[in-house]
Amino acid sequence: MTLFTLAAAAAGRDYVSTRIALAWCGLSCLNYLGQAFVSWRMERSPSLSDGIRHWMPWLLLSIGIGGLLWGAVPWLLSAATLPVQLIASLFNLMLFFAVVNAPSTRSMIIVATSIAPPTILALAMRGGIPQVALGSAVAYALVLAYALRVQAAVQATQKERHAAKDLAAELRRQQQRLIEVENERTLLLERERLMHDMHDGLGSTLASWLAAAERGLVQPSEVAGLLRDCIDDLRAVIDSLEPVENDLVALLAMLRFRLGRRLDAAGIELEWSMGDLPPLDWLGPSEALQIMRIVQETLANAVKHSGATQVSIRTDQAGATVRIRVTDNGCGFAPETVHEGRGLRLLRQRAQQFVGSVDLSSGIGAGTRMSLLLPVQR
């Protein structure tokens, strides 16, 4: 803008004295340097609000002085050069249009209108053309109204953007909070599930054996078996926490790895046959634990009571049902002569927790087969 001012001063040297041209040019250049300094100080301020509070008045003053300096141009020209005054007035109008449509605030636009009064008065008083002066006033008013409308639209858009950013930030905060609450809720539910499983499994076993020991009903030889059952149940609880991605075969594989050595120590051969099974969407930690307890209890009965030398675990799918079959070649029993005890009732109750069922078949000398039926969808 300083170079533009120098060019304007050079172009008007034929219509104004050199002293006046130099004085006008010097004041204009000093004013622009002052604007640059104020803008630099605003940028260096600790915050935008602090910069506006301290330096915006000085910027507005500089803009007003600039408008008055350019508005004085028609007054500085020779009175006889009417066409030159018209060109200067038109130039001031174009300059005002460019200034008010640049990025600015409402107060800066209003202060920039300081260029209009001297320009309009010069046309009316020095040029003697009041009609042109009136038209110039209308043009300035239209440009001002247009600039204020544009500035208002820009401010509204900026407010909407800021509001959208604030809303997005708030939504992110709320989403993060919901995630934290959900994680806390998941941990709480998992803690409650573990407490419930420990109470119903390990706790119940220890309590019943403790009561029997206090009555003198536990033989020293039975203590090892008791501790082994407790350890198996504790490991089942821990294994249920492993992510199996709804894969029943992966769940049973963990059980095989854990109980394989116990079967080998008892002289029992394990036959393992896994068919292609669909993922079970409902298979969570709680359901995994109950399935492992059912299979684990069946294998424990085979080791303790059947006298079997071979146990097989097979899985397959029959329509909308997945089957787990545990079969041994032990002594078996006649179902019609044996009353359903607490162990079988407990197996059935555990299966009912995930809408499954347990079927037990046996015969004297024909071994025993436990079938656990699980739904594919629940």
Side-chain angles (χ1 to χ4, degrees), residues 90-114:
L90 181 60
F91 174 81
N92 281 355
L93 179 61
M94 295 174 61
L95 180 62
F96 175 67
F97 181 83
V99 169
V100 298
N101 281 280
S104 56
T105 64
R106 183 181 182 88
S107 57
M108 292 168 65
I109 292 174
I110 294 175
V111 171
T113 58
S114 60

Side-chain angles (χ1 to χ4, degrees), residues 319-343:
T321 302
V322 169
R323 295 186 299 183
I324 303 176
R325 290 179 293 175
V326 181
T327 306
D328 66 61
N329 64 349
C331 60
F333 61 91
E336 63 275 6
T337 63
V338 178
H339 179 69
E340 182 177 290
R342 177 177 178 274

Side-chain angles (χ1 to χ4, degrees), residues 9 16 18 27 34-35 44 50 65 84 126-127 146 148 157 176 179 194 215 238 243 249 271 288 293 305 317 350 356:
V16 68
T18 303
L27 290 174
Q35 284 188 21
R44 297 293 299 272
D50 184 70
I65 292 174
V84 176
R126 298 203 65 201
Y146 170 77
L148 291 176
T157 302
Q176 184 62 33
I179 293 174
L194 287 174
R215 295 195 301 269
I238 296 174
V249 175
E271 181 182 347
R293 278 177 169 170
H305 309 299
Q317 181 181 3
R350 285 174 173 167

